[in-house]
Amino acid sequence: MKKKGIRKGIEMAGIITVGMILAVMIFTYIYYVENVGSSYLDTELSVVMSQQFLDKNCIKMGVILSIIGLCLYWKGKAVGNFVYRYRFVCAGILFIVGIVFELSGSSIQHMMGFLGGHDTGVLLGTSRGIRSDEWEVLTPMLFSQYHNASGKFPYFSETVRGTLTDVFLIYGQPVADWAILFRPFYWGYLFLSIGKGMAFFWCGRYIALFLVSFEFGMLLTEKKKGLSVTYAFMMLFAPAVQWWFAINGFVEMLIYFQLSVLLLCCYMKTEKQWQRILCLAGIMISAGGFILTIYPAWQIPMAYLIAGVGIWAILENYQECRMQKRDWIMIGIAATVFCAAMAVIFYRSRETVEAIMNAAYPGKRIGVGGESGWENIVLWLGNLFYPMFGEGGIRETVVEDAGFFALFPVCYIPAFLLRFREKQKDKLLGILGVISIVFGIYCFIGFPSVLAKITLLSFSFDKRTMVILEFVGMLMMFRAISKLEKSVPLWTAVILSVAAGGLLAGGCYRINPDYFPKWTLAVLMIISVVLSFGLLRYPKKWTARIWCTVFCCSVFFSGFLVNPIRSGVDAVEKVPVLQEISKIHESDEQALWIVEGMELPFLNAPIMVGAPTINSTNTYPDLERWRILDKSGKYEKYYNRYAHIGMYIKESGSTEFKMSKKIPDRLRIDLTLDDMKKLGAKYIFTRNDLEKIETQDHKVRLVSEIDSYKIYEITEK
């Protein structure tokens, strides 16, 4: 009894110590994210940590974490069972709280900074300038849907591009149309304010991804709750998920993939008619939502994964699935309705699809793979420090280098052990193994162009397929360790884990030693060794617990605060220059605008208050408009693409189109007042003094001047 009491005392002391250490790590992490960023090389980690250790708030958090740890130590099973039982209720409460307080992860603060507004909405973390496709394009387009001159939430907006523009299919926006049924995370926009609608969108997908991933984890690991929670954490905070959270529908793809498989299994296991009807409806919405993400670079490899896992689900459940004639009739009706709905949507957007497919980007981009190097194998490990150190990245940017924190390629070892040592055959691992081989060949060796086109992987490219390859490896890892019966012998595990940790950490550091301070090499090494050792020693009880804990903490730091936590967006519309544009627009709603002499993010500023802007981001080309200025088609290769268009006024001469060599989607057009008038423009938003600019037929009149911005009207002479 005495020894048992001493052991418990040591364990409790250890929990308190871990709680305090974790608090210091969290506060140090937040300090680096909010205050250090790209200046991290000028700081000493030990100094920062000691400062946080003495911070009163850090001490309070340490006490709270220690109390939580002790509660879990004594009543962990009861707490876990309670949360598990009421997980959907807890999720609903969190969702409502998020909407009430208008919580989102938008970096729209940057737009206000450029326009001269003052934002106090960021509660934790920092806005990310590198997520420009969110705060420069996606969110301004969202605002335009609330302020569209033809009414809220149109399918074809007259604000974006200053002409009818499909805003449902491309850069998907909320629309007041039945097609929004396939985008459930957009429903909140239709009946909530902008701030609360954004909270519905951001919080809804956070919560849905975690819940669906947990349920899928239960399926993947055969109802092992601890592993399923770890899997859900790794999905939610995966760097690839967080850095791409708002754009390109990656989060939706992951949700719909897992949900559709869960619903398929549920359909095959139940015989209750109403449950089968709900499952069919859910599968239809998931399939439609997946298709309408319209980002083939991820959709194509993900489609292979969906097909593979779907086949496994059918093979696993077909024997206990009792199908009657009415079931086949229901499936036929559901398939017919679904195909009809997709046909109607794509027929309505047929001109959009045609324009995109014929555009230089993204329509004519063809990938054959083979460009991934050895560094792609270890890039995921460096993701641990990207939120802290800023946006420079290793080779390109932190966004392009973001992947799944999945112990790649060590994650494949359990599958080999299961198959060749324990002689267990598993259909899912076999299917995932084949997919891994195909994707691996595509990424590292490449396909002949004919094969790339046949497999449709020509619509993807290495960096995107590599992310899905890491995801497949993670699925195999969780599936295999959930079925392992024996662990690797202790000293063999030690030797292998040290070797793996050294290769992973050393390789990651070697790619760009100027990016990583020397102390990070030790951290990367320790984490790699611990995770590799825990994986090899699975399913030992304490090893498994430590492995899950370290994995959850690691992926948490690699993904948490990639996006800021902010409350509300009311300050956006209070920016003085936007209020002035809004005032002029309301008095002349049909007038077209041009942003002159400025690039992003200014190009999309007028549309935020509903002003139709010709050179706001052209998500797909308006060839007829540009051919007014380019009758010979000389410059079509420049404007026949997705483009951010900077317009610069000149006194005379013909229109010139120029494309940036470094950033192909940046287009510059030099044109006269006469040319602007040919395009139908009436107002010019600029920082330049244009009053002396005139042509034989046109001149400008200063309408308003606020801060450093000017608004001119083009008038006849």
Side-chain angles (χ1 to χ4, degrees):
M1 289 293 292
K2 187 176 180 180
K3 289 183 178 179
K4 188 176 181 181
I6 293 174
R7 182 172 62 83
K8 286 192 173 182
I10 293 173
E11 289 174 353
M12 291 171 64
I15 290 171
I16 294 172
T17 302
V18 170
M20 296 304 298
I21 292 174
L22 190 57
V24 173
M25 291 173 62
I26 291 173
F27 268 73
T28 301
Y29 172 82
I30 293 173
Y31 181 82
Y32 266 87
V33 170
E34 294 185 341
N35 302 299
V36 179
S38 59
S39 302
Y40 63 93
L41 292 174
D42 298 326
T43 63
E44 288 289 339
L45 178 65
S46 58
V47 175
V48 174
M49 293 188 72
S50 62
Q51 291 174 344
Q52 306 312 310
F53 181 76
L54 299 174
D55 186 275
K56 292 181 180 179
N57 291 325
C58 181
I59 295 172
K60 290 178 182 177
M61 175 175 276
V63 172
I64 293 172
L65 291 175
S66 299
I67 293 173
I68 292 173
L70 291 172
C71 290
L72 293 176
Y73 177 77
W74 290 105
K75 298 291 183 180
K77 189 173 182 180
V79 172
N81 289 336
F82 177 85
V83 174
Y84 174 74
R85 183 177 181 183
Y86 296 104
R87 60 193 182 281
F88 297 110
V89 175
C90 294
I93 293 172
L94 289 175
F95 185 44
I96 292 171
V97 169
I99 292 174
V100 169
F101 290 97
E102 300 186 356
L103 301 180
S104 75
S106 174
S107 293
I108 194 65
Q109 181 186 33
H110 277 285
M111 178 65 86
M112 285 182 277
F114 276 98
L115 296 176
H118 180 62
D119 177 42
T120 57
V122 176
L123 304 177
L124 192 64
T126 185
S127 295
R128 301 285 182 179
I130 201 168
R131 295 313 303 126
S132 55
D133 42 8
E134 181 267 315
W135 62 268
E136 285 183 336
V137 183
L138 181 73
T139 304
M141 286 178 66
L142 166 66
F143 273 77
S144 76
Q145 285 296 90
Y146 277 84
H147 300 292
N148 201 281
S150 58
K152 285 186 175 183
F153 311 118
Y155 192 104
F156 293 98
S157 169
E158 295 178 357
T159 301
V160 178
R161 302 193 309 165
T163 188
L164 284 179
T165 300
D166 189 334
V167 293
F168 176 75
L169 202 64
I170 306 302
Y171 255 97
Q173 294 295 325
V175 299
D177 187 272
W178 62 266
I180 201 69
L181 175 69
F182 296 104
R183 287 183 174 155
F185 300 109
Y186 291 71
W187 295 350
Y189 289 119
L190 303 183
F191 59 89
L192 296 171
S193 64
I194 298 179
K196 288 182 170 58
M198 288 178 66
F200 188 103
F201 176 76
W202 284 81
C203 295
R205 294 185 308 146
Y206 256 97
I207 295 169
L209 180 59
F210 187 85
L211 278 179
V212 171
S213 296
F214 173 76
E215 299 298 332
F216 188 81
M218 292 286 280
L219 176 66
L220 190 68
T221 65
E222 299 178 341
K223 297 189 179 300
K224 292 180 173 60
K225 295 178 184 176
L227 275 179
S228 299
V229 170
T230 304
Y231 171 78
F233 256 85
M234 291 180 67
M235 286 293 290
L236 180 60
F237 294 110
V241 170
Q242 291 299 320
W243 286 105
W244 290 97
F245 199 84
I247 296 295
N248 292 343
F250 190 45
V251 174
E252 284 87 342
M253 291 183 205
L254 295 173
I255 292 172
Y256 296 142
F257 153 56
Q258 297 177 107
L259 182 59
S260 60
V261 174
L262 290 169
L263 291 172
L264 176 60
C265 292
C266 179
Y267 182 94
M268 298 184 73
K269 289 178 179 179
T270 186
E271 293 185 12
K272 295 179 180 179
Q273 205 64 30
W274 66 271
Q275 289 183 350
R276 286 191 162 183
I277 292 173
L278 289 178
C279 288
L280 279 177
I283 291 172
M284 286 173 59
I285 292 175
S286 297
F290 180 85
I291 291 170
L292 293 174
T293 54
I294 312 295
Y295 191 68
W298 268 325
Q299 280 179 298
I300 299 303
M302 279 292 291
Y304 278 98
L305 182 57
I306 293 172
V309 179
I311 291 171
W312 165 77
I314 293 172
L315 293 175
E316 284 289 298
N317 298 288
Y318 81 95
Q319 289 184 336
E320 60 181 293
C321 181
R322 301 290 181 264
M323 296 291 288
Q324 299 179 17
K325 184 177 180 180
R326 63 184 180 184
D327 294 310
W328 292 110
I329 292 174
M330 279 197 312
I331 292 174
I333 292 173
T336 302
V337 171
F338 174 77
C339 291
M342 291 296 105
V344 171
I345 289 172
F346 281 97
Y347 179 78
R348 192 191 305 181
S349 297
R350 62 191 181 281
E351 293 181 2
T352 308
V353 175
E354 182 181 355
I356 293 171
M357 294 303 294
N358 292 324
Y361 174 84
K364 294 183 179 179
R365 180 181 59 188
I366 296 177
V368 295
E371 297 181 2
S372 296
W374 67 268
E375 64 271 15
N376 291 83
I377 297 175
V378 297
L379 276 176
W380 63 269
L381 186 57
N383 285 199
L384 182 66
F385 295 104
Y386 288 174
M388 296 171 61
F389 293 169
E391 303 166 355
I394 294 179
R395 301 172 308 168
E396 296 184 51
T397 66
V398 292
V399 179
E400 294 298 335
D401 286 350
F404 279 88
F405 203 90
L407 203 56
F408 190 88
V410 182
C411 57
Y412 291 110
I413 292 178
F416 280 96
L417 293 175
L418 190 72
R419 178 65 183 88
F420 298 106
R421 187 189 65 175
E422 298 187 9
K423 306 300 181 182
Q424 291 191 50
K425 295 182 179 180
D426 184 77
K427 295 185 184 70
L428 180 57
L429 285 175
I431 292 170
L432 294 176
V434 172
I435 293 173
S436 290
I437 292 171
V438 173
F439 288 173
I441 293 173
Y442 177 78
C443 289
F444 294 100
I445 299 175
F447 283 4
S449 59
V450 174
L451 182 60
K453 291 177 180 178
I454 292 174
T455 59
L456 300 182
L457 285 173
S458 58
F459 289 105
S460 185
F461 52 102
D462 304 65
K463 288 180 288 188
R464 300 294 178 262
T465 304
M466 186 67 200
V467 171
I468 308 303
L469 176 61
E470 292 174 350
F471 178 42
V472 174
M474 188 176 82
L475 293 177
M476 292 184 68
M477 176 175 68
F478 276 91
R479 178 67 175 180
I481 62 176
S482 70
K483 299 177 76 66
L484 278 175
E485 296 176 358
K486 298 178 182 179
S487 61
V488 173
L490 178 62
W491 287 108
T492 303
V494 170
I495 294 171
L496 290 177
S497 59
V498 170
L503 290 172
L504 290 172
C508 183
Y509 183 83
R510 184 182 174 186
I511 293 171
N512 190 350
D514 295 329
Y515 182 80
F516 294 107
K518 291 183 178 180
W519 61 265
T520 61
L521 179 60
V523 174
L524 295 174
M525 179 71 176
I526 292 170
I527 290 176
S528 301
V529 170
V530 171
L531 292 178
S532 299
F533 180 79
L535 188 65
L536 295 172
R537 289 292 287 170
Y538 221 90
K540 293 290 183 181
K541 183 177 180 181
W542 281 102
T543 304
R545 289 182 179 179
I546 292 173
W547 184 81
C548 289
T549 301
V550 173
F551 236 136
C552 286
C553 290
S554 299
V555 76
F556 175 81
F557 285 117
S558 71
F560 182 62
L561 293 188
V562 162
N563 297 295
I565 299 175
R566 67 169 295 118
S567 176
V569 290
D570 290 344
V572 177
E573 294 179 312
K574 294 179 181 178
V575 175
V577 67
L578 290 182
Q579 289 183 325
E580 188 65 19
I581 294 174
S582 177
K583 179 181 176 182
I584 296 170
H585 166 63
E586 288 175 1
S587 65
D588 195 356
E589 290 187 341
Q590 301 305 315
L592 296 182
W593 292 61
I594 276 179
V595 177
E596 191 277 332
M598 298 184 286
E599 302 286 343
L600 282 174
F602 303 101
L603 300 179
N604 292 323
I607 68 172
M608 295 181 72
V609 289
T613 307
I614 290 172
N615 61 325
S616 60
T617 296
N618 279 219
T619 53
Y620 58 96
D622 183 356
L623 298 181
E624 290 185 9
R625 166 179 283 161
W626 303 123
R627 283 168 182 165
I628 293 173
L629 305 180
D630 180 35
K631 297 185 184 301
S632 66
K634 176 182 177 182
Y635 298 106
E636 184 171 327
K637 61 181 179 180
Y638 295 158
Y639 55 75
N640 185 20
R641 58 173 295 119
Y642 172 97
H644 307 294
I645 303 171
M647 287 188 164
Y648 294 82
I649 198 167
K650 60 181 184 179
E651 294 188 18
S652 61
S654 60
T655 301
E656 295 179 278
F657 293 78
K658 301 174 184 176
M659 179 181 287
S660 169
K661 293 182 179 180
K662 294 183 178 180
I663 311 176
D665 60 11
R666 302 295 171 93
L667 177 65
R668 171 174 174 147
I669 302 177
D670 295 323
L671 70 173
T672 64
L673 277 179
D674 289 341
D675 292 334
M676 288 185 175
K677 200 63 180 176
K678 287 179 184 178
L679 297 177
K682 184 174 182 180
Y683 294 104
I684 301 174
F685 173 52
T686 184
R687 276 179 168 171
N688 297 323
D689 184 359
L690 304 182
E691 289 185 271
K692 295 181 180 179
I693 299 290
E694 60 180 48
T695 64
Q696 185 176 350
D697 300 318
H698 298 96
K699 62 179 181 179
V700 295
R701 178 179 68 87
L702 182 64
V703 176
S704 180
E705 183 173 3
I706 183 166
D707 296 329
S708 60
Y709 303 99
K710 300 177 179 67
I711 298 173
Y712 292 96
E713 179 184 2
I714 303 175
T715 62
E716 302 286 341
K717 262 192 172 181

